[in-house]
C-alpha cells in the first residue's frame, strides 16, 4: 500500500497507553478510507484506538497525523456511562422505577443538538427514528449504537474509531449501520473499525491491519487480499471433549417446568414494551430466543431472573413454583446461571479473575467468603477451557471487552445451574473463542440435562444442542 496516503502514522517501535505496551516493528500506519484493525480478544486493538485518540503525546509515543489539528473520537460499548451521566452500580438497577425516573431522555442529554438540522440529517442517514422523547436506558442496542455515533459526529471529527460496533445488532440494524458508515466515509471522515472476527469485516473495507499479542502488522489493502483474510482465518474445530469438563454437580432438585409465563407484559409510564407473551421452558429443553432489536428479549429475561420488579405483576412459574408464593430472590438466582451484556457493563468486582469465577460456586448470600483452594482449582479449569488461563491474576477492569465476557461465562458455567441463560454470549468474541464457547455449551448442557435459553440475532451462532426457537415480535 502507498504509505504516503495516511491518516495516522506510528513512528516509534513501541506505543503505550496505561499499562499496555504495543510493539510496532513494521512502523505501521492508518491509511485513508475505512480501515479494520483485526485481532483476537486481548490482542491490543482497543489500546491502539486509545493511543490514536488520547495518547499521541504520551508514553513516548511518536504519532504523525496527516494534519496537526485532526479531531479523533473513539466509541465503545461502555460509552453509555459518559452519555447518561447517571451512575448505576448494578445491572438490575436500570429496571427499577426510582432509578428510571432519574435517567434523562435523549432530548435532555443532547439539548439544542436534538433540534438542529445536522441532527435530523444524521438521524435520517442512520435510520434512527422516534428516540428524542425516550429515556436513554429504554433504547434498544441498535438505537444506542446509532445515538452514540451520531452524538460523536455532531462534533465533526476527522477520524472516528468504533470498537466492536456490531455487538448486539440484528441484521437490519447492522445493515443500516453499514450504510451510514459508508456515507460518513464518503463524506471524508476516516473510519477505523476494531473487530475480532474476520466474518465481521464489511464489504466496503479499504484496508486491514492485523494484531496479535500486542503487535501491530502493516496494513493490507485490495479487495482480493481482504477477502482472503475474511475466508482464510476461520477457526479450526475445538478439541474440547467431555472428559475435560469438571465433574457434574449434584442436582438441586427435580422439576418439570424451569420457566413459564402467561400473557407476559412489561409497562413503563403507560407504555407497553412487552405484551402478551406466553412461553414455557420445560426441564431439559434447549431454546434459542430471537427477535429484532427492541422486541423485548432482555426485558423478558429480566423477569425470568428475578431482576425486574414487574415480575410480581405477571403470572410466572420458576422451577414448578409460582413466582410470589414465598420464595426469595436468592433462591431463584442460586439455580440460574446468567450472562448478559448489561451485566458486563456494570460489573464492578476488584477481585482477581480466578476468584470472580470461583464466586460462581457459592450461593448469593455467601459471595464475600474467601474461595477455598479446590474452588480456585475448578475456576482455573474453566479458565483453561475458555483459553484465558493467562488472565487468572488480572483484574476485571484491566481486561478487553471480549475477555470480560469470557470471565462472566466461566462464572456461569462453573455453577452448572439448573437453568442457563445466555444473552448474546458470543458477541465481541473472536472466531476461535466463539467455537470454544459453543462447544462447551453443547457438552455441558448435553451431559447435565440443563435447561437452556440462548439469545442471538444470528443463526450461525446457535449451538447444535438447541432444538426449539422462540421469536419475539416488536410492539
Amino acid at each position: 500500500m502507498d504509505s504516503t496516503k495516511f491518516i495516522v502514522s506510528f513512528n516509534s517501535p513501541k506505543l503505550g497507553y496505561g499499562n499496555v505496551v504495543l510493539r510496532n516493528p513494521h512502523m505501521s500506519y492508518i491509511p485513508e478510507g475505512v480501515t479494520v484493525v483485526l485481532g483476537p480478544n486481548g490482542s491490543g486493538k482497543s489500546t491502539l484506538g486509545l493511543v490514536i485518540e488520547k495518547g499521541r503525546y504520551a508514553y513516548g509515543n511518536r504519532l504523525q497525523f496527516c494534519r496537526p489539528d485532526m479531531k479523533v473520537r473513539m466509541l465503545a460499548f461502555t460509552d453509555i456511562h459518559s452519555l447518561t451521566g447517571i451512575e448505576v452500580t448494578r445491572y438490575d438497577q436500570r429496571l427499577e422505577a426510582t432509578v428510571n425516573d432519574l435517567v434523562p431522555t435523549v432530548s435532555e442529554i443532547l439539548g439544542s443538538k436534538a433540534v438542529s438540522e445536522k441532527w435530523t440529517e444524521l438521524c435520517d442517514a442512520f435510520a434512527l427514528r422516534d428516540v428524542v422523547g425516550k429515556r436513554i436506558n429504554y433504547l434498544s442496542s441498535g438505537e444506542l449504537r446509532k445515538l452514540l455515533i451520531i452524538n460523536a459526529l455532531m462534533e465533526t471529527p476527522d477520524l472516528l474509531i468504533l470498537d466492536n460496533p456490531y455487538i448486539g445488532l440484528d441484521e437490519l440494524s447492522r445493515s443500516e449501520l453499514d450504510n451510514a458508515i459508508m456515507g460518513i466515509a464518503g463524506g471524508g471522515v476516516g473510519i477505523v473499525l476494531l473487530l475480532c472476527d474476520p466474518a465481521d469485516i464489511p464489504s466496503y473495507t479499504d484496508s486491514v491491519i492485523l494484531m496479535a499479542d500486542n503487535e501491530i502488522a502493516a496494513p493490507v489493502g485490495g479487495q482480493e487480499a481482504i477477502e482472503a483474510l475474511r475466508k482464510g482465518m476461520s477457526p479450526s474445530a475445538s478439541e474440547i471433549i467431555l472428559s475435560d469438563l469438571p465433574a457434574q454437580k449434584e442436582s438441586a432438585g427435580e422439576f418439570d417446568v424451569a420457566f413459564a409465563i402467561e400473557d407476559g407484559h412489561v409497562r413503563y409510564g403507560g407504555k407497553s414494551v412487552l405484551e402478551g407473551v406466553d412461553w414455557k421452558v420445560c426441564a431439559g429443553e434447549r431454546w434459542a430466543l430471537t427477535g429484532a432489536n427492541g422486541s423485548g428479549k432482555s426485558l423478558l429475561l429480566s423477569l425470568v431472573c428475578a431482576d425486574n420488579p414487574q415480575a410480581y405483576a405477571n403470572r410466572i412459574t420458576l422451577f414448578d413454583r409460582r413466582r410470589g408464593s414465598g420464595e426469595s430472590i436468592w433462591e431463584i438466582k442460586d439455580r440460574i446461571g446468567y450472562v448478559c451484556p448489561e451485566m458486563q457493563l456494570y460489573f464492578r468486582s476488584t477481585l482477581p479473575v480466578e476468584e470472580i469465577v470461583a464466586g460462581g460456586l457459592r450461593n448469593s448470600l455467601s459471595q464475600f467468603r474467601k474461595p477455598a483452594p479446590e474452588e480456585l482449582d475448578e475456576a482455573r479449569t474453566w479458565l483453561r477451557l475458555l483459553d484465558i488461563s493467562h488472565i487468572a491474576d488480572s483484574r476485571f477492569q484491566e481486561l478487553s471487552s471480549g475477555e470480560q465476557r469470557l470471565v462472566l461465562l466461566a462464572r456461569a458455567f462453573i455453577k452448572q445451574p439448573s437453568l442457563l441463560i445466555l444473552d448474546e454470549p458470543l458477541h465481541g468474541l473472536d472466531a476461535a473463542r466463539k467455537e470454544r464457547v459453543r462447544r462447551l455449551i453443547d457438552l455441558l448442557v448435553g451431559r447435565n440435562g440443563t435447561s437452556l435459553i440462548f439469545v442471538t440475532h444470528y443463526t450461525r451462532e446457535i449451538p447444535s444442542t438447541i432444538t426449539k426457537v422462540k421469536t419475539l415480535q416488536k410492539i
Side-chain angles (χ1 to χ4, degrees):
M1 295 187 67
D2 185 357
S3 61
T4 63
K5 296 182 178 180
F6 66 87
I7 296 177
V8 187
S9 178
F10 309 127
N11 299 334
S12 50
K14 292 183 179 180
L15 301 169
Y17 193 87
N19 297 322
V20 181
V21 176
L22 306 178
R23 298 183 301 279
N24 180 35
H26 306 281
M27 295 299 172
S28 194
Y29 59 96
I30 303 295
E32 295 177 343
V34 178
T35 298
V36 166
V37 178
L38 180 69
N41 299 127
S43 60
K45 302 182 300 298
S46 297
T47 298
L48 180 60
L50 290 169
V51 166
I52 298 170
E53 183 192 35
K54 300 177 179 179
R56 65 179 81 181
Y57 304 122
Y59 306 97
N61 299 330
R62 296 197 300 275
L63 275 64
Q64 180 183 355
F65 289 77
C66 62
R67 294 198 320 273
D69 60 343
M70 279 192 67
K71 293 171 61 177
V72 181
R73 279 297 308 272
M74 177 176 169
L75 296 176
F77 179 50
T78 53
D79 288 321
I80 177 64
H81 289 305
S82 59
L83 186 63
T84 63
I86 299 296
E87 180 65 16
V88 178
T89 57
R90 299 193 325 272
Y91 73 94
D92 53 330
Q93 265 188 281
R94 74 198 190 285
L95 302 168
E96 297 175 7
T98 53
V99 173
N100 288 325
D101 288 343
L102 300 175
V103 175
T105 63
V106 172
S107 62
E108 289 170 341
I109 292 172
L110 298 181
S112 59
K113 290 182 185 178
V115 294
S116 68
E117 183 177 347
K118 186 173 183 179
W119 161 264
T120 302
E121 291 174 356
L122 288 169
C123 285
D124 287 342
F126 278 82
L128 185 66
R129 306 176 183 91
D130 303 322
V131 299
V132 173
K134 286 185 179 180
R135 296 192 186 278
I136 193 72
N137 59 338
Y138 291 164
L139 299 183
S140 69
S141 297
E143 291 171 333
L144 182 56
R145 290 290 184 284
K146 295 173 185 177
L147 178 64
L148 288 170
I149 296 172
I150 289 172
N151 187 51
L153 290 173
M154 293 292 288
E155 301 173 14
T156 320
D158 301 294
L159 177 60
L160 185 62
I161 304 171
L162 303 178
D163 195 350
N164 270 323
Y166 300 121
I167 291 177
L169 298 189
D170 58 31
E171 294 283 4
L172 177 60
S173 294
R174 176 172 177 152
S175 177
E176 291 172 343
L177 180 59
D178 279 336
N179 288 334
I181 290 174
M182 284 190 284
I184 296 167
V189 178
I191 301 292
V192 175
L193 305 178
L194 310 180
L195 303 177
C196 53
D197 189 340
D200 288 335
I201 300 175
S203 60
Y204 51 84
T205 301
D206 296 307
S207 59
V208 175
I209 296 174
L210 299 178
M211 290 195 68
D213 298 323
N214 290 342
E215 183 169 304
I216 310 165
V220 175
Q223 288 306 308
E224 288 187 9
I226 292 172
E227 186 62 24
L229 286 175
R230 187 186 287 111
K231 293 182 177 180
M233 297 180 66
S234 56
S236 58
S238 174
E239 298 180 355
I240 303 171
I241 59 176
L242 192 60
S243 60
D244 291 330
L245 269 61
Q248 183 173 354
K249 300 192 182 305
E250 293 184 9
S251 173
E254 299 297 326
F255 57 90
D256 294 319
V257 176
F259 164 74
I261 187 168
E262 302 172 56
D263 192 26
H265 58 271
V266 175
R267 300 166 186 146
Y268 291 108
K271 177 178 174 56
S272 292
V273 290
L274 193 70
E275 198 70 46
V277 177
D278 295 294
W279 190 22
K280 181 190 289 185
V281 177
C282 295
E285 289 185 342
R286 301 175 296 278
W287 287 80
L289 177 61
T290 67
N293 289 131
S295 59
K297 299 183 299 298
S298 295
L299 271 178
L300 177 57
L301 296 182
S302 73
L303 297 175
V304 181
C305 297
D307 289 331
N308 196 318
Q310 294 199 35
Y312 293 105
N314 282 271
R315 295 193 295 275
I316 293 175
T317 299
L318 284 165
F319 307 114
D320 290 343
R321 191 168 181 178
R322 177 69 182 270
R323 185 80 169 92
S325 61
E327 82 294 349
S328 73
I329 289 177
W330 310 118
E331 288 174 323
I332 296 170
K333 288 182 175 294
D334 286 344
R335 303 186 70 177
I336 297 175
Y338 183 34
V339 175
C340 67
E342 289 77 19
M343 182 183 294
Q344 178 179 338
L345 191 61
Y346 297 112
F347 199 77
R348 290 291 189 271
S349 177
T350 58
L351 294 173
V353 161
E354 63 181 14
E355 292 191 30
I356 291 173
V357 175
L361 290 167
R362 300 191 294 277
N363 66 41
S364 302
L365 299 179
S366 60
Q367 283 296 307
F368 299 103
R369 177 175 58 82
K370 192 74 173 174
E374 60 271 17
E375 292 175 328
L376 290 175
D377 286 343
E378 188 169 349
R380 295 182 191 115
T381 297
W382 283 105
L383 293 176
R384 176 179 55 79
L385 288 170
L386 288 165
D387 194 27
I388 50 172
S389 295
H390 59 285
I391 63 171
D393 297 324
S394 301
R395 297 302 193 269
F396 192 80
Q397 299 304 324
E398 300 170 349
L399 306 177
S400 72
S401 176
E403 289 171 332
Q404 290 178 348
R405 183 73 56 97
L406 290 165
V407 169
L408 295 179
L409 283 168
R411 191 168 180 262
F413 290 158
I414 197 174
K415 193 175 187 177
Q416 299 192 39
S418 302
L419 174 60
L420 183 60
I421 300 175
L422 303 176
D423 188 351
E424 297 177 358
L426 304 185
H427 285 197
L429 300 186
D430 60 59
R433 287 192 172 92
K434 283 182 180 179
E435 288 303 306
R436 292 185 75 87
V437 171
R438 279 162 42 92
R439 176 65 173 161
L440 283 169
I441 292 170
D442 286 337
L443 290 174
L444 183 65
V445 169
R447 183 192 69 179
N448 292 7
T450 307
S451 304
L452 172 67
I453 299 175
F454 185 97
V455 180
T456 184
H457 292 298
Y458 307 106
T459 55
R460 67 178 182 269
E461 293 185 349
I462 296 176
S464 61
T465 192
I466 296 291
T467 58
K468 296 175 177 290
V469 178
K470 173 71 173 179
T471 302
L472 294 184
Q473 301 299 327
K474 192 171 182 178
I475 296 178

